[in-house]
Amino acid sequence: MPRRLAATLVAAALTAGPAVLLGAVPAHATGDHGPARGTADAVVLRTGVNVGLLNKTLDVPLNVALNEVHAPASASKTALTVKLDGIDHGRPFSVLRADAATARATADRRKAEGYANVVRAKVHLPGLPLLSLIEVQQVTAKAVCEAGTRARAESNVLGSVRVLGQKVTLTAGGTTKVKVPGTGEVRLDLSKKNVTSKGAAATALDLNVSLNPLKLNVADVQGRVTLAKATCTTPRGKAPEQGGSGGTSGGQTSGGSSGGQTGGGTEPAGGKDTGPRTQNLAETGGSSATPYLAGGAALLLAAGAGSMVFARRRRSAAPQGGRG
């Protein structure tokens, strides 16, 4: 009977051990499961102006964009024509016309880039049918965001620039004011760039407009015009690998600190870790099956010890029975 009981315990331990092992799910470090894509945008022209009519019956917004794209996309239209009610009897007028106008935006898990380029362009606003708001030879804007590196923003204005018919000299990174009596005032910001830890933005020309043309039933035009703008945000890039393997504790964590346990644990004072190391399973290469394997091994040891006890009692009892 004791031998049968010991054999039953051993068989149960051998059966339970593999079953628990097969059913266990390995532990994995939690956190970011992969890099995120960056984003990129580009636009050749964007207007956000308010057109006041001469008879003051209403204000008409002129909010338009040419070749505005979001990654992944590209566009190359060279003309923008709109109609506004109450202006020039509803006839269409040209807002922008250029020899070349390109916007391009690309983005993936490694790099995001926005790009805008305009060649030989003229911009018009309501009430100024014959006078261009601005004429440029070429303007470009570029924003590049690459994982693991600092973002970059570039913008250029090449060749001559005319504002309200006047040739102007622009100051890099500064503001230029152009005032024309009887027509209005324009403030230009050249080559605006902004770079942060998360992305970049570049604008070739940014114009703040305040006009009083008093033509074509237009009393005033107030607002902002942007020519060639590109933006991007940086991809998060490849996630840092988790700590080392082989059962060593205090592996490098994703935050760059060492010696700490996951789950907010701290190392005991004195610098020696005397507690169990199961808290760092995801870091050290252990798995969630480890406690079950330990339990199975303990069960096997208990069963083996029981078998040895029963065998010894049987051997010690056998000689006594012979002498009786």
Side-chain angles (χ1 to χ4, degrees):
M1 185 66 179
R3 180 180 294 177
R4 183 175 300 173
L5 177 60
T8 301
L9 291 172
V10 173
L14 291 174
T15 303
V20 171
L21 178 61
L22 290 175
V25 178
H28 295 283
T30 59
D32 190 4
H33 294 287
R37 291 178 179 271
T39 62
D41 306 282
V43 63
V44 164
L45 172 76
R46 182 185 292 126
T47 68
V49 300
N50 188 69
V51 180
L53 300 186
L54 188 61
N55 53 22
K56 298 295 182 180
T57 55
L58 77 160
D59 292 334
V60 181
L62 177 62
N63 301 318
V64 297
L66 178 65
N67 295 351
E68 184 171 29
V69 296
H70 311 282
S74 63
S76 58
K77 282 188 65 176
T78 58
L80 173 64
T81 300
V82 298
K83 290 182 180 180
L84 291 178
D85 292 336
I87 298 174
D88 197 17
H89 307 289
R91 286 193 286 263
F93 69 94
S94 172
V95 177
L96 180 139
R97 188 172 298 277
D99 288 357
T102 303
R104 182 173 64 248
T106 59
D108 56 28
R109 296 181 183 273
R110 185 184 64 86
K111 182 179 180 182
E113 180 177 334
Y115 173 78
N117 177 58
V118 190
V119 178
R120 296 184 64 85
K122 293 182 179 182
V123 178
H124 289 269
L125 290 180
L128 300 174
L130 303 178
L131 188 63
S132 299
L133 171 67
I134 188 170
E135 299 180 29
V136 296
Q137 294 296 312
Q138 183 176 6
V139 293
T140 62
K142 184 177 182 180
V144 181
C145 298
E146 193 167 359
T149 63
R150 182 172 173 79
R152 306 191 311 272
E154 305 171 6
S155 59
N156 292 289
V157 178
L158 306 176
S160 62
V161 174
R162 287 183 174 274
V163 177
L164 299 178
Q166 296 184 8
K167 188 174 181 178
V168 298
T169 301
L170 301 177
T171 304
T175 300
T176 301
K177 294 183 179 181
V178 178
K179 190 171 184 178
V180 177
T183 301
E185 179 179 315
V186 177
R187 291 189 300 112
L188 296 87
D189 288 315
L190 170 69
S191 298
K192 294 175 64 176
K193 292 174 282 188
N194 185 34
V195 177
T196 68
S197 60
K198 295 183 179 180
T203 302
L205 284 171
D206 200 23
L207 296 82
N208 284 292
V209 179
S210 178
L211 305 177
N212 55 335
L214 303 179
K215 295 179 180 179
L216 303 180
N217 197 36
V218 175
D220 60 81
V221 179
Q222 307 283 338
R224 184 174 179 180
V225 176
T226 300
L227 195 59
K229 182 175 182 178
T231 64
C232 65
T233 60
T234 305
R236 287 202 296 268
K238 185 178 180 181
E241 295 183 1
Q242 297 297 323
S245 59
T248 58
S249 63
Q252 187 93 7
T253 64
S254 60
S257 60
S258 60
Q261 295 175 348
T262 58
T266 58
E267 184 178 332
K272 293 183 180 180
D273 185 2
T274 58
R277 298 185 183 274
T278 55
Q279 296 94 331
N280 285 325
L281 288 177
E283 291 182 359
T284 61
S287 73
S288 59
T290 304
Y292 299 100
L293 292 177
L299 190 58
L300 285 172
L301 289 174
S307 178
M308 291 176 64
V309 171
F310 290 134
R312 287 179 179 175
R313 288 180 178 177
R314 189 174 182 80
R315 285 197 298 271
S316 62
Q320 294 176 2
R323 286 194 299 270

